[in-house]
Amino acid sequence: MANRTLLQNGCVITVDRQLGNFWRADVLIEGMKIAAVGPDLGVTDAEVIEASNMIVMPGLIDTHRHLWEGLFRNVSADGILANYFPDVLGVLAPVYRPEDAYSGNLIGALGAIDSGITTLLDWSHIQNTPEHSDAAIKALQDSGIRAVFAYGNPNTSLSDWWFNSSLKHPDDIKRLKPKYFSSDDQLITLALAPRGPCWTTMEVVRHDWALAREVGVPITVHVGVGENGFWGGIDQMYKEGLLGPDTTYIHCCTLTDDELKYIIDTGGTFSIATAVEMQMRHGMPPLDRILRLGGRPSLSVDVETNVPCDMFTQMKAAFQCQRTLVNQRALYGGSFEGENLVTVRDVLEFATIEGARANKLDHKTGSLIPGKEADIIMLHAARLNEFPLNDPIGAVVVGADTGNVDSVFIAGRAMKRNGQLLNVDLNRARQLAIESRDYVVAKSGFTPPAF
Ligand SMILES: [Zn+2]
């Protein structure tokens, strides 16, 4: 019989609207999967973890992050897109070696797990050579996180690869798929991360979308990013029949309502990085417009060069941004009629089940229902920022921070317990990150911000 672990007497948020939530219930993990959820399961042959001071919930899901940039956390806190492209993609990325892609991905993935993220889409535009791809994938494997490796472009030259680029996406994905992704039933799955119509010619778009569909992997693409998103690329792609349910559209800030509708009508999913969008001049985060049009977005961290690594920040940013817009509009429009404030339940769904849906993993993760894989986190509800517990979902979305993350399970494997990461040599990960960071800075001549 598979290993059985009982999370006992926790406050359980399943996120599943049918199963509901429980002020006090047990969650039984059997091997990789959730075997049962409910009060007083009466299991006697399992390892018991006492969860009576815990919120037990699905692991958080980040649907877009450039994980290799983990080496350069906070380096561009004051920066906007106009700094990010030349500095991060133009100066730092071209000198990355495969081992730097490894150490960036490793420290990034560990930070994600530590903060309660169990699934992350790594939008990996550091494919400078095939060895970079191998190294980035190896780091994901070594970290133990559930990940979508989204095979992006090389960043060997800013002018070649960005801004009306005529370079087609490399086809090394055809080597990677059989080598690492022969099964869909594994912790790491594959997607294509083409640059999209903000950054390339339409000829490249046609080529890259055909490549993804030939290989048979989902697509994740940045659209509606600042002024680069103004020209109507989605409109054009819709007319050409390129949009589909296999695609996640990131940011979407400067898309028209019609373009957002095309995405919804063709079954696409959204990844909104509210904090980055507000800070870096992407345009107004489109959450309110997406909701009005009937869409349900997922959330993402995007760049740790500018924003923190965790989903608590993302949930708060999304919640507050949408409410700011609605409240302002209603106040000055004289009426709240027809206005809908996003709720903490909505936002928690965006960070869990909608993330799973965007990552094409909702059959495995995103909610706590029997049969799904056991991607579970436990948040310390007796910590002084949450106690006493009055509204558990509110406590997660507006009250909690990374300091509440007591335990993390990924596919039933304990990755963090009692506030400590497991299965990892943290000294090695830190050492690799410092060596790589120092190498990239020295080699590129990058000047870190004055202090
Ligand atoms: Zn991005």
Side-chain angles (χ1 to χ4, degrees):
M1 178 178 280
N3 286 336
R4 283 154 69 91
T5 305
L6 187 72
L7 311 179
Q8 187 170 264
N9 291 329
C11 172
V12 178
I13 303 173
T14 70
V15 174
D16 185 73
R17 291 198 179 210
Q18 240 175 338
L19 186 53
N21 304 314
F22 304 88
W23 275 102
R24 191 182 63 80
D26 304 337
V27 177
L28 178 64
I29 302 171
E30 200 169 278
M32 293 169 67
K33 295 198 169 171
I34 298 167
V37 178
D40 303 316
L41 291 179
V43 175
T44 54
D45 60 347
E47 180 202 349
V48 173
I49 293 176
E50 184 54 38
S52 53
N53 281 325
M54 301 286 171
I55 294 170
V56 180
M57 60 173 277
L60 297 162
I61 298 180
D62 178 358
T63 54
H64 138 250
R65 183 188 310 199
H66 312 289
L67 203 53
W68 59 272
E69 296 171 12
L71 296 180
F72 289 95
R73 285 174 168 152
N74 316 312
V75 79
S76 184
D78 284 335
I80 60 171
L81 280 170
N83 309 107
Y84 172 83
F85 272 90
D87 291 350
V88 179
L89 301 188
V91 173
L92 297 173
V95 305
Y96 260 59
R97 302 162 300 174
E99 56 262 51
D100 307 320
Y102 178 89
S103 44
N105 261 27
L106 184 63
I107 203 77
L110 294 176
I113 297 168
D114 192 45
S115 72
I117 293 169
T118 52
T119 303
L120 179 151
L121 182 139
D122 177 19
W123 210 103
S124 191
H125 51 358
I126 193 69
Q127 310 307 311
N128 299 8
T129 69
E131 289 72 33
H132 286 71
S133 311
D134 293 329
I137 293 167
K138 177 81 164 63
L140 292 175
Q141 292 170 336
D142 289 353
S143 75
I145 199 165
R146 186 187 301 281
V148 181
F149 175 73
Y151 175 71
N153 55 286
N155 259 307
T156 45
S157 154
L158 186 68
S159 56
D160 287 351
W161 286 102
W162 298 95
F163 309 108
N164 208 32
S165 171
S166 55
L167 289 182
K168 292 172 179 165
H169 205 96
D171 67 359
D172 192 44
I173 193 168
K174 292 179 181 172
R175 174 185 69 90
L176 297 172
K177 193 180 182 200
K179 184 169 183 187
Y180 297 107
F181 307 97
S182 55
S183 165
D184 287 336
D185 191 19
Q186 56 184 38
L187 214 49
I188 304 180
T189 49
L190 182 63
L192 190 77
R195 288 152 295 164
C198 284
W199 321 108
T200 70
T201 64
M202 272 307 293
E203 192 192 343
V204 171
V205 169
R206 290 179 200 112
H207 166 272
D208 295 354
W209 263 248
L211 173 64
R213 284 158 184 168
E214 180 195 342
V215 177
V217 294
I219 297 167
T220 168
V221 60
H222 298 76
V223 293
V225 180
E227 58 200 356
N228 294 288
F230 283 149
W231 81 266
I234 288 294
D235 186 65
Q236 181 65 27
M237 290 178 71
Y238 178 70
K239 286 178 183 142
E240 296 191 23
L242 292 170
L243 309 185
D246 57 354
T247 305
T248 297
Y249 303 84
I250 302 162
H251 298 313
C252 305
C253 304
T254 53
L255 298 187
T256 64
D257 280 4
D258 278 345
E259 287 178 308
L260 293 177
K261 264 188 260 175
Y262 296 150
I263 291 172
I264 293 169
D265 289 349
T266 53
T269 50
F270 295 99
S271 174
I272 306 305
T274 320
V276 156
E277 290 152 10
M278 293 193 295
Q279 272 178 231
M280 293 177 71
R281 206 175 292 166
H282 289 55
M284 185 57 73
L287 174 55
D288 182 53
R289 289 197 295 142
I290 291 171
L291 294 175
R292 283 170 163 263
L293 293 167
R296 302 283 288 173
S298 68
L299 304 179
S300 60
V301 165
D302 194 358
V303 288
E304 286 189 78
T305 51
N306 298 67
V307 300
C309 74
D310 67 281
M311 296 303 288
F312 298 103
T313 302
Q314 293 306 320
M315 288 192 283
K316 289 186 190 76
F319 185 70
Q320 292 165 346
C321 176
Q322 193 268 357
R323 288 181 157 235
T324 301
L325 275 174
V326 168
N327 286 329
Q328 182 77 354
R329 196 164 57 217
L331 269 177
Y332 284 84
S335 167
F336 277 85
E337 199 172 328
E339 299 285 4
N340 285 308
L341 292 169
V342 72
T343 66
V344 287
R345 183 184 293 260
D346 290 325
V347 172
L348 186 63
E349 288 180 359
F350 302 160
T352 54
I353 189 64
E354 293 302 334
R357 204 163 66 83
N359 282 344
K360 309 285 177 262
L361 291 167
D362 47 319
H363 57 299
K364 286 196 172 187
T365 188
S367 58
L368 301 188
I369 56 175
K372 283 199 180 185
E373 296 196 2
D375 291 357
I376 301 172
I377 61 175
M378 300 205 306
L379 305 182
H380 221 296
R383 191 166 170 256
L384 291 176
N385 64 342
E386 302 245 295
F387 190 86
L389 198 56
N390 295 303
D391 172 2
I393 296 177
V396 173
V397 174
V398 301
D401 59 45
T402 58
N404 292 89
V405 181
D406 174 87
S407 297
V408 177
F409 299 86
I410 299 177
R413 182 186 185 204
M415 300 298 294
K416 183 177 185 181
R417 289 281 296 117
N418 304 311
Q420 301 297 318
L421 281 184
L422 306 176
N423 320 312
V424 62
D425 182 347
L426 275 182
N427 287 334
R428 170 179 173 267
R430 286 196 175 101
Q431 188 61 35
L432 292 176
I434 287 172
E435 285 171 13
S436 279
R437 190 270 316 270
D438 290 350
Y439 170 84
V440 172
V441 168
K443 182 77 176 173
S444 66
F446 177 75
T447 311
F451 176 58

